[in-house]
Every structure is written in structure tokens, then in C-alpha cells.
Amino acid sequence: MRRNRTTVRVRWSDADAAGIGYYPRFFDWFVDGTLELLRGWQASYAELFHGEGLGLPTIEAHCRFLAPVRYDDALEIETVVAEVRSRAFRLEHTLWRGGERVAEGYEVRGWQRIDPASPQAVALSPIPADVAAWLRGDAVPGD
Amino acid sequence: MRRNRTTVRVRWSDADAAGIGYYPRFFDWFVDGTLELLRGWQASYAELFHGEGLGLPTIEAHCRFLAPVRYDDALEIETVVAEVRSRAFRLEHTLWRGGERVAEGYEVRGWQRIDPASPQAVALSPIPADVAAWLRGDAVPGD
Amino acid sequence: MRRNRTTVRVRWSDADAAGIGYYPRFFDWFVDGTLELLRGWQASYAELFHGEGLGLPTIEAHCRFLAPVRYDDALEIETVVAEVRSRAFRLEHTLWRGGERVAEGYEVRGWQRIDPASPQAVALSPIPADVAAWLRGDAVPGD
Amino acid sequence: MRRNRTTVRVRWSDADAAGIGYYPRFFDWFVDGTLELLRGWQASYAELFHGEGLGLPTIEAHCRFLAPVRYDDALEIETVVAEVRSRAFRLEHTLWRGGERVAEGYEVRGWQRIDPASPQAVALSPIPADVAAWLRGDAVPGD
């Protein structure tokens, strides 16, 4: 299956008044992991969204927080495509600080062809065969 | 079990470039729901945190997104204590827009007595009996 | 000139690791103040933006921070239209905590008729006479 | 005077429903620029804050927005110490996208020795001579 690693640094604003990473920010890092993984397929989500009229609405998200993170911690986000269904796919994310696993979770993302007449509607479409193959990590032309 | 309802409005900054609510923001609303529920027990989480030296680190969080939300939508957050364990408790959150359920999920929060010498450490402590009773919604003196 | 008062509460995530309000959040409150003031003219910025094809790009913003704010502080945002130019207007914001002034600043906002063929371009248009009159606080029909 | 350049990428969550960078996020980038500049003096603001008991409360901030930014734009933050006063200093920030200036502004930051008994109070202290010299860009031992 397709996988990616990207790095982030905990910003000053990611910590809360308790001095540790505010938990909703971990999902921002999951989003970073997902969009960075997709770069392997498209130059950026911007092209996907504005150019191709595609969206990837999040259907479900989960995180287990294993250790607090602090300002300036260097984290690595490991993202793996775990399952490709007909209209949605599942990404598993692990956050590492050096060799320590600090969080793990997943997102389920739908495949949505945006209707220009109604850009905010969310109706899922079938994932095209070539995209599904790419997500599964199959060798694809130009890969 | 203890339950609470509070309202929020989707802010301009809660929507992403797709014009719909950015999913990590839903967890900010879960946090709002949790802290508002706790107001029934303490005046505010600030008193709990700064005054009593208590923290409620999030151990796990999950959300299922059922419908997109948009700027200015009025949402109601329904929060219910679903389970009280010895050192942690589980809160279930439902987001409503009028009669429509737009998201549902949960948080598992630990009980942490903060060590002033090491305020950022996360080690869980037993939930005191009176707090556990309050969370369960038992009648407690002064309630 | 048109003026408005609205209230916000400092959220847990608005404080940084130092336990005080993170300064970029003050500008989120200025945005709240601006959008609430505009409600007097339109039901919401959503209608303005999606319905009328109008945007109000921020050209300049300034804030002087007079006192730290903390989680759960109740703040009042006082917003006044200070100047109406041909293609832009200036809003002055004051943040109050009870009778204490905790911040003051301004935004300069442009008037932009969004070109559907190029929705992200920012080119300013003349503010229509009836809108300029409303912003100045002149009595307008139906006000 | 001391100066620094650091890079950021516009994240998906930095854009608003209009598809362009939400203006309060520019101040987050100013904060990034300031903290990265300070790395030349200390390993991180975390050491400064937690280790040395120092804070740098923002007294004033200003930004002029010259061009909209979009998701995935690579920006360079140029930060220059513009003035060192007795208890505060002023940092000027310019945001570049390639050779294009997209925003410019400043922060005035105070120097605060945090009182452990009252960590959230904001009272300014004199900037020590060696720090003032470093901020001014004078050659200092070990630099």
C-alpha cells in the first residue's frame, strides 16, 4: 500500500495553557500527512481541488494519544493507505518523536467529484481504477 | 449520567478552502462540550487547572462526520458522560444543526493530579469518589 | 458611524503555553467583530459571499495589546466604522473585559466584487452608495 | 541588526472559505519568524520560557497584506530586529513568495522575567546588555 513520511515541528500555538500539544492539533498533523502522501500522485491538493474538481471529505477520524508533545518537538508523521473501498479509503497515521510513538490514528476519506453548481454538497463518487491502483501502491505508469 | 447541551456558531475561520467545516475543528467543539459540562461541577476548567492542580489529558478521540457544516451554522453540542473508570472517563458528543445530526464521536479523558515540580508530565490518578459520583449523575450535596 | 458590540469567551485553545491569550487570536476576535457588525446589513457574511459574490479582503490590520487575557475571560468586542473610502473602509475594534480595555486596533477592509471565473483574484471595486451610507450610519430605508 | 530567514508552506487550514490565506494566520507566521530568529541566541523559545523564566509578550502587531496567498504556496519570512529599547524590541517581518512581497508588518515584544509565584502577570524588565547587543547584531562571544 502507498505510504509516506513527512516531518512537522510543534509550533508555539499548538500547545495549550497546560504546556502540552492541544489534541485537535494532532488531526491537523494527520491532514498534513494525508496531503503530503497525495503529492506522490498530484503536485498538490490545490490542483486536485481547484483543477480537477475533486474533494476528499473526511468521513471518520480517530486518534489515540500516547505521550504529550511540547513546543519545538520534531515529529514524523507516517501515513499508510490501509484500505481502498469503492468510494472511500482509509489512511493510518503514526506520529513519532525519534523512536517514540506519540500518537496513532486513522482517517476515512471519501472520493467526491465536486459539482460546480453546488460546490459544498458532499456526495461520494467511485474512485477511478487508476487512482485506486495508485493508492494500493501498484506500479502505475510514470510512477 | 451527567449530560450537557451548549451551542456554538461555525466561525469564518472554521471553514476551509472547500467552504465546509474543517474536520479538526469538530474536536475543538468536543472540547467546548467537555469544558461546558464540567462547569456544572466547577466554575471553570481554569479553576480546576490553576486552582486545584488537575488536568484532564485526552487519551483517545473519535468523530464520525455525517454532514458538512458551513459558516454561520448554529450547532448544538450534546455531551454525555458515557463511562466512568477508575482513572479515566468517556464522554460522548453529538453535534446537532436543528434536528439534523451532523457529527458524533467521543473523547476518553484521564484524571491527572499535576505535580508542580513537573507540570507537563502525564501520569493518571484515581478519580475521587465524589467526582466519580458527580460524573455518573448521582445526586450529590449542593448539586 | 455604524457600530456594534458582541461578546466572546476566551477558549482553552486561545491560550498558549504561557497561559495567556495567544496574540494572533485577537485578530480572530476582530474578524468576529467585523462580521457581527455586518449582520446589521446582511443576515450573514455567508450570504454576502456566496449569494452576492462579494468579498471584504483585509488590506491592513493592527492591534495594541494592553492586558493579557486568560481562558474563560468574557470579552466584549466593540467595533466602529471609522472611515469609508471609495473602495475600502476602516473598522476600529476595542476589546473590553468588564470595564478594562485589554486591546485596541483596526482593520482596513477592501470591497471586492468576486469574478466567478477567477474567485481568488483580489481587485477592489467601488463601494456602492447605499452600502457606504449604511456603513456611515446614515438612516437608510428599512434600517 | 540581527536578521533571519525561514520558510513556511501555506497549510490547507490556513485558507478560509474564500480560498485565500485567512489574515490572522499571517501573524502566526510572524511568530514563527520571531521564534526562529531567537534560535540564534537560544536553542528554542521553550528553553527561554521554561528554563530561563523569560517571556516575550507582544505589545503591538501590525500587518499590511499585499497579495493573497493560497494553499501550498511556499513563503519565506524575513525577520529583522529594527529597534532595541530598554524593555522592548521591535521586529519587522516581510513575507515573500519567490520575489513577490505578499505581506509586511511588525511586532513589538516586551522583555519579561516571569515571576514563578505569578506566571501570568505581565511586567516588563530591562533587557540585559548582552541580549541587547545580540539583538543589535553586535559580535558577541560564541556567536
Side-chain angles (χ1 to χ4, degrees), chain A residues 68-94:
Chain A
V69 299
R70 292 181 188 86
Y71 167 65
D72 217 38
D73 281 354
L75 305 181
E76 193 170 32
I77 309 165
E78 183 187 10
T79 300
V80 184
V81 176
E83 188 190 357
V84 182
R85 305 179 202 158
S86 66
R87 293 163 188 265
F89 58 107
R90 180 186 165 104
L91 300 129
E92 290 180 357
H93 302 279
T94 310

mmCIF file of all heavy atoms in Angstrom, chain A residues 68-94:
data_model
loop_
_atom_site.group_PDB
_atom_site.id
_atom_site.type_symbol
_atom_site.label_atom_id
_atom_site.label_comp_id
_atom_site.label_asym_id
_atom_site.label_seq_id
_atom_site.Cartn_x
_atom_site.Cartn_y
_atom_site.Cartn_z
ATOM 1 N N PRO A 68 2.475 13.093 25.684
ATOM 2 C CA PRO A 68 2.300 14.521 25.379
ATOM 3 C C PRO A 68 3.441 15.018 24.497
ATOM 4 O O PRO A 68 4.568 14.527 24.598
ATOM 5 C CB PRO A 68 2.339 15.189 26.751
ATOM 6 C CG PRO A 68 3.009 14.216 27.667
ATOM 7 C CD PRO A 68 2.762 12.850 27.107
ATOM 8 N N VAL A 69 3.136 15.981 23.642
ATOM 9 C CA VAL A 69 4.190 16.631 22.855
ATOM 10 C C VAL A 69 4.292 18.070 23.324
ATOM 11 O O VAL A 69 3.364 18.614 23.921
ATOM 12 C CB VAL A 69 3.901 16.568 21.336
ATOM 13 C CG1 VAL A 69 3.837 15.122 20.873
ATOM 14 C CG2 VAL A 69 2.623 17.316 20.962
ATOM 15 N N ARG A 70 5.429 18.677 23.075
ATOM 16 C CA ARG A 70 5.684 20.035 23.567
ATOM 17 C C ARG A 70 6.205 20.915 22.445
ATOM 18 O O ARG A 70 6.691 20.411 21.437
ATOM 19 C CB ARG A 70 6.706 19.984 24.706
ATOM 20 C CG ARG A 70 6.126 19.305 25.917
ATOM 21 C CD ARG A 70 7.058 19.242 27.082
ATOM 22 N NE ARG A 70 6.393 18.386 28.083
ATOM 23 C CZ ARG A 70 6.482 17.055 28.113
ATOM 24 N NH1 ARG A 70 7.251 16.411 27.255
ATOM 25 N NH2 ARG A 70 5.811 16.370 29.014
ATOM 26 N N TYR A 71 6.128 22.205 22.662
ATOM 27 C CA TYR A 71 6.653 23.171 21.698
ATOM 28 C C TYR A 71 8.039 22.754 21.230
ATOM 29 O O TYR A 71 8.890 22.416 22.044
ATOM 30 C CB TYR A 71 6.730 24.574 22.309
ATOM 31 C CG TYR A 71 7.542 25.525 21.463
ATOM 32 C CD1 TYR A 71 7.106 25.876 20.182
ATOM 33 C CD2 TYR A 71 8.758 26.027 21.899
ATOM 34 C CE1 TYR A 71 7.867 26.715 19.383
ATOM 35 C CE2 TYR A 71 9.520 26.871 21.105
ATOM 36 C CZ TYR A 71 9.065 27.204 19.845
ATOM 37 O OH TYR A 71 9.818 28.018 19.051
ATOM 38 N N ASP A 72 8.222 22.790 19.939
ATOM 39 C CA ASP A 72 9.508 22.602 19.288
ATOM 40 C C ASP A 72 9.894 21.142 19.110
ATOM 41 O O ASP A 72 10.932 20.852 18.506
ATOM 42 C CB ASP A 72 10.620 23.355 20.045
ATOM 43 C CG ASP A 72 11.638 23.940 19.078
ATOM 44 O OD1 ASP A 72 11.221 24.404 18.000
ATOM 45 O OD2 ASP A 72 12.830 23.906 19.380
ATOM 46 N N ASP A 73 9.065 20.221 19.604
ATOM 47 C CA ASP A 73 9.332 18.805 19.330
ATOM 48 C C ASP A 73 9.305 18.588 17.815
ATOM 49 O O ASP A 73 8.419 19.102 17.118
ATOM 50 C CB ASP A 73 8.241 17.911 19.955
ATOM 51 C CG ASP A 73 8.424 17.690 21.451
ATOM 52 O OD1 ASP A 73 9.452 18.126 22.005
ATOM 53 O OD2 ASP A 73 7.526 17.074 22.066
ATOM 54 N N ALA A 74 10.253 17.824 17.317
ATOM 55 C CA ALA A 74 10.257 17.434 15.907
ATOM 56 C C ALA A 74 9.516 16.107 15.809
ATOM 57 O O ALA A 74 9.876 15.135 16.478
ATOM 58 C CB ALA A 74 11.680 17.287 15.403
ATOM 59 N N LEU A 75 8.447 16.082 15.028
ATOM 60 C CA LEU A 75 7.627 14.879 14.887
ATOM 61 C C LEU A 75 7.706 14.373 13.454
ATOM 62 O O LEU A 75 7.825 15.154 12.513
ATOM 63 C CB LEU A 75 6.165 15.185 15.219
ATOM 64 C CG LEU A 75 5.858 15.805 16.580
ATOM 65 C CD1 LEU A 75 4.353 16.010 16.723
ATOM 66 C CD2 LEU A 75 6.393 14.925 17.712
ATOM 67 N N GLU A 76 7.584 13.076 13.321
ATOM 68 C CA GLU A 76 7.490 12.496 11.989
ATOM 69 C C GLU A 76 6.101 11.870 11.877
ATOM 70 O O GLU A 76 5.660 11.172 12.785
ATOM 71 C CB GLU A 76 8.581 11.448 11.794
ATOM 72 C CG GLU A 76 8.710 11.056 10.335
ATOM 73 C CD GLU A 76 9.949 10.209 10.087
ATOM 74 O OE1 GLU A 76 10.338 9.445 10.984
ATOM 75 O OE2 GLU A 76 10.519 10.320 8.993
ATOM 76 N N ILE A 77 5.428 12.175 10.771
ATOM 77 C CA ILE A 77 4.094 11.613 10.525
ATOM 78 C C ILE A 77 4.254 10.513 9.489
ATOM 79 O O ILE A 77 4.672 10.768 8.357
ATOM 80 C CB ILE A 77 3.134 12.669 9.935
ATOM 81 C CG1 ILE A 77 3.139 13.949 10.766
ATOM 82 C CG2 ILE A 77 1.726 12.100 9.795
ATOM 83 C CD1 ILE A 77 2.499 15.138 10.048
ATOM 84 N N GLU A 78 3.930 9.299 9.891
ATOM 85 C CA GLU A 78 3.978 8.161 8.968
ATOM 86 C C GLU A 78 2.542 7.855 8.546
ATOM 87 O O GLU A 78 1.679 7.625 9.391
ATOM 88 C CB GLU A 78 4.582 6.962 9.702
ATOM 89 C CG GLU A 78 4.749 5.741 8.843
ATOM 90 C CD GLU A 78 5.196 4.539 9.670
ATOM 91 O OE1 GLU A 78 5.183 4.622 10.929
ATOM 92 O OE2 GLU A 78 5.548 3.522 9.069
ATOM 93 N N THR A 79 2.281 7.907 7.269
ATOM 94 C CA THR A 79 0.927 7.723 6.758
ATOM 95 C C THR A 79 0.909 6.546 5.789
ATOM 96 O O THR A 79 1.748 6.473 4.888
ATOM 97 C CB THR A 79 0.474 9.008 6.036
ATOM 98 O OG1 THR A 79 0.511 10.095 6.971
ATOM 99 C CG2 THR A 79 -0.936 8.877 5.478
ATOM 100 N N VAL A 80 -0.035 5.639 6.001
ATOM 101 C CA VAL A 80 -0.144 4.438 5.170
ATOM 102 C C VAL A 80 -1.583 4.299 4.695
ATOM 103 O O VAL A 80 -2.509 4.455 5.492
ATOM 104 C CB VAL A 80 0.224 3.173 5.981
ATOM 105 C CG1 VAL A 80 0.217 1.934 5.085
ATOM 106 C CG2 VAL A 80 1.562 3.337 6.666
ATOM 107 N N VAL A 81 -1.777 4.044 3.415
ATOM 108 C CA VAL A 81 -3.119 3.712 2.934
ATOM 109 C C VAL A 81 -3.421 2.303 3.430
ATOM 110 O O VAL A 81 -2.681 1.358 3.121
ATOM 111 C CB VAL A 81 -3.196 3.774 1.397
ATOM 112 C CG1 VAL A 81 -4.575 3.339 0.913
ATOM 113 C CG2 VAL A 81 -2.865 5.180 0.902
ATOM 114 N N ALA A 82 -4.468 2.167 4.235
ATOM 115 C CA ALA A 82 -4.727 0.876 4.872
ATOM 116 C C ALA A 82 -5.819 0.093 4.160
ATOM 117 O O ALA A 82 -5.885 -1.126 4.271
ATOM 118 C CB ALA A 82 -5.122 1.093 6.332
ATOM 119 N N GLU A 83 -6.684 0.811 3.427
ATOM 120 C CA GLU A 83 -7.803 0.112 2.784
ATOM 121 C C GLU A 83 -8.342 1.007 1.681
ATOM 122 O O GLU A 83 -8.474 2.215 1.873
ATOM 123 C CB GLU A 83 -8.910 -0.130 3.832
ATOM 124 C CG GLU A 83 -10.034 -1.002 3.329
ATOM 125 C CD GLU A 83 -11.222 -1.029 4.295
ATOM 126 O OE1 GLU A 83 -11.141 -0.416 5.384
ATOM 127 O OE2 GLU A 83 -12.246 -1.636 3.942
ATOM 128 N N VAL A 84 -8.642 0.431 0.537
ATOM 129 C CA VAL A 84 -9.267 1.184 -0.547
ATOM 130 C C VAL A 84 -10.616 0.532 -0.854
ATOM 131 O O VAL A 84 -10.681 -0.611 -1.281
ATOM 132 C CB VAL A 84 -8.377 1.206 -1.816
ATOM 133 C CG1 VAL A 84 -9.027 2.046 -2.916
ATOM 134 C CG2 VAL A 84 -6.989 1.741 -1.496
ATOM 135 N N ARG A 85 -11.682 1.271 -0.570
ATOM 136 C CA ARG A 85 -13.037 0.773 -0.857
ATOM 137 C C ARG A 85 -13.511 1.411 -2.171
ATOM 138 O O ARG A 85 -12.761 2.111 -2.828
ATOM 139 C CB ARG A 85 -13.991 1.177 0.267
ATOM 140 C CG ARG A 85 -13.539 0.745 1.645
ATOM 141 C CD ARG A 85 -14.566 1.216 2.704
ATOM 142 N NE ARG A 85 -13.949 1.281 4.014
ATOM 143 C CZ ARG A 85 -14.399 2.008 5.035
ATOM 144 N NH1 ARG A 85 -15.493 2.755 4.881
ATOM 145 N NH2 ARG A 85 -13.791 2.014 6.199
ATOM 146 N N SER A 86 -14.766 1.210 -2.547
ATOM 147 C CA SER A 86 -15.212 1.726 -3.852
ATOM 148 C C SER A 86 -15.306 3.254 -3.877
ATOM 149 O O SER A 86 -14.948 3.881 -4.865
ATOM 150 C CB SER A 86 -16.548 1.106 -4.248
ATOM 151 O OG SER A 86 -17.549 1.534 -3.355
ATOM 152 N N ARG A 87 -15.769 3.886 -2.789
ATOM 153 C CA ARG A 87 -15.952 5.333 -2.784
ATOM 154 C C ARG A 87 -15.188 6.017 -1.653
ATOM 155 O O ARG A 87 -15.414 7.196 -1.373
ATOM 156 C CB ARG A 87 -17.444 5.675 -2.623
ATOM 157 C CG ARG A 87 -18.298 5.290 -3.791
ATOM 158 C CD ARG A 87 -19.787 5.265 -3.440
ATOM 159 N NE ARG A 87 -20.537 4.702 -4.541
ATOM 160 C CZ ARG A 87 -21.125 5.424 -5.500
ATOM 161 N NH1 ARG A 87 -21.096 6.728 -5.452
ATOM 162 N NH2 ARG A 87 -21.753 4.834 -6.500
ATOM 163 N N ALA A 88 -14.372 5.298 -0.958
ATOM 164 C CA ALA A 88 -13.669 5.870 0.196
ATOM 165 C C ALA A 88 -12.390 5.079 0.437
ATOM 166 O O ALA A 88 -12.235 3.968 -0.067
ATOM 167 C CB ALA A 88 -14.566 5.806 1.437
ATOM 168 N N PHE A 89 -11.457 5.692 1.181
ATOM 169 C CA PHE A 89 -10.247 4.958 1.541
ATOM 170 C C PHE A 89 -9.845 5.350 2.955
ATOM 171 O O PHE A 89 -10.283 6.359 3.485
ATOM 172 C CB PHE A 89 -9.111 5.165 0.519
ATOM 173 C CG PHE A 89 -8.700 6.594 0.298
ATOM 174 C CD1 PHE A 89 -7.483 7.067 0.797
ATOM 175 C CD2 PHE A 89 -9.493 7.475 -0.431
ATOM 176 C CE1 PHE A 89 -7.079 8.380 0.584
ATOM 177 C CE2 PHE A 89 -9.097 8.793 -0.647
ATOM 178 C CZ PHE A 89 -7.890 9.243 -0.129
ATOM 179 N N ARG A 90 -9.032 4.494 3.541
ATOM 180 C CA ARG A 90 -8.673 4.651 4.938
ATOM 181 C C ARG A 90 -7.168 4.833 5.041
ATOM 182 O O ARG A 90 -6.400 4.067 4.454
ATOM 183 C CB ARG A 90 -9.102 3.380 5.666
ATOM 184 C CG ARG A 90 -8.813 3.348 7.131
ATOM 185 C CD ARG A 90 -9.182 1.950 7.638
ATOM 186 N NE ARG A 90 -8.626 1.711 8.929
ATOM 187 C CZ ARG A 90 -9.322 1.745 10.064
ATOM 188 N NH1 ARG A 90 -10.612 1.962 10.027
ATOM 189 N NH2 ARG A 90 -8.729 1.542 11.215
ATOM 190 N N LEU A 91 -6.768 5.873 5.784
ATOM 191 C CA LEU A 91 -5.354 6.179 5.976
ATOM 192 C C LEU A 91 -5.008 6.004 7.444
ATOM 193 O O LEU A 91 -5.717 6.536 8.306
ATOM 194 C CB LEU A 91 -5.083 7.639 5.588
ATOM 195 C CG LEU A 91 -5.405 8.017 4.144
ATOM 196 C CD1 LEU A 91 -6.274 9.259 4.083
ATOM 197 C CD2 LEU A 91 -4.122 8.222 3.354
ATOM 198 N N GLU A 92 -3.934 5.286 7.722
ATOM 199 C CA GLU A 92 -3.477 5.160 9.108
ATOM 200 C C GLU A 92 -2.261 6.055 9.320
ATOM 201 O O GLU A 92 -1.354 6.082 8.492
ATOM 202 C CB GLU A 92 -3.152 3.698 9.428
ATOM 203 C CG GLU A 92 -4.446 2.880 9.476
ATOM 204 C CD GLU A 92 -4.221 1.407 9.789
ATOM 205 O OE1 GLU A 92 -3.048 0.995 9.911
ATOM 206 O OE2 GLU A 92 -5.218 0.683 9.897
ATOM 207 N N HIS A 93 -2.294 6.787 10.426
ATOM 208 C CA HIS A 93 -1.233 7.743 10.733
ATOM 209 C C HIS A 93 -0.554 7.367 12.052
ATOM 210 O O HIS A 93 -1.245 7.062 13.030
ATOM 211 C CB HIS A 93 -1.815 9.145 10.916
ATOM 212 C CG HIS A 93 -2.578 9.660 9.735
ATOM 213 N ND1 HIS A 93 -1.963 10.215 8.649
ATOM 214 C CD2 HIS A 93 -3.905 9.702 9.468
ATOM 215 C CE1 HIS A 93 -2.882 10.594 7.764
ATOM 216 N NE2 HIS A 93 -4.070 10.287 8.236
ATOM 217 N N THR A 94 0.751 7.437 12.073
ATOM 218 C CA THR A 94 1.500 7.283 13.325
ATOM 219 C C THR A 94 2.403 8.492 13.475
ATOM 220 O O THR A 94 3.057 8.902 12.513
ATOM 221 C CB THR A 94 2.356 5.994 13.310
ATOM 222 O OG1 THR A 94 1.523 4.908 12.916
ATOM 223 C CG2 THR A 94 2.943 5.715 14.685
#
